[in-house]
Amino acid sequence: MFPLARAAQSLVARGIQHTAVRQAHRKHEPTFHDKFGTMILLGGVTMFSAVWGYVLTQVNIEWGFSPVGRITPSEWRE
């Protein structure tokens, strides 16, 4: 059983080595992400910042103010 396992292991190792050599000699072609990834990322950051900048500065939202102490209960009407 031991020689059979050693032979299988060497076949797997040889296959991995052949794959590595093949990929090392292949010319790398730029993909879509290599060409445009940075520009798309920067565009998204710009859009995100613009939208949230508008929301935080133009929409009248009172952030985190508690009504405790400012609201007084009215008299009970029967």
Side-chain angles (χ1 to χ4, degrees):
M1 184 70 178
F2 184 73
L4 181 61
R6 185 186 301 162
Q9 183 183 12
S10 70
L11 280 176
V12 169
R14 197 174 317 144
I16 292 172
Q17 288 173 349
H18 283 252
T19 303
V21 168
R22 250 195 331 256
Q23 290 178 352
H25 290 298
R26 188 171 54 180
K27 195 172 192 179
H28 177 70
E29 298 175 2
T31 63
F32 176 83
H33 297 288
D34 293 333
K35 292 180 184 177
F36 306 110
T38 305
M39 292 307 295
I40 291 174
L41 179 66
L42 291 176
V45 167
T46 303
M47 190 67 179
F48 179 86
S49 300
V51 168
W52 277 106
Y54 174 80
V55 168
L56 294 174
T57 57
Q58 301 300 319
V59 177
N60 292 326
I61 300 175
E62 293 186 15
W63 297 98
F65 294 116
S66 174
V68 175
R70 290 190 297 148
I71 299 175
T72 56
S74 59
E75 292 293 326
W76 181 260
R77 287 179 254 161
E78 291 189 38

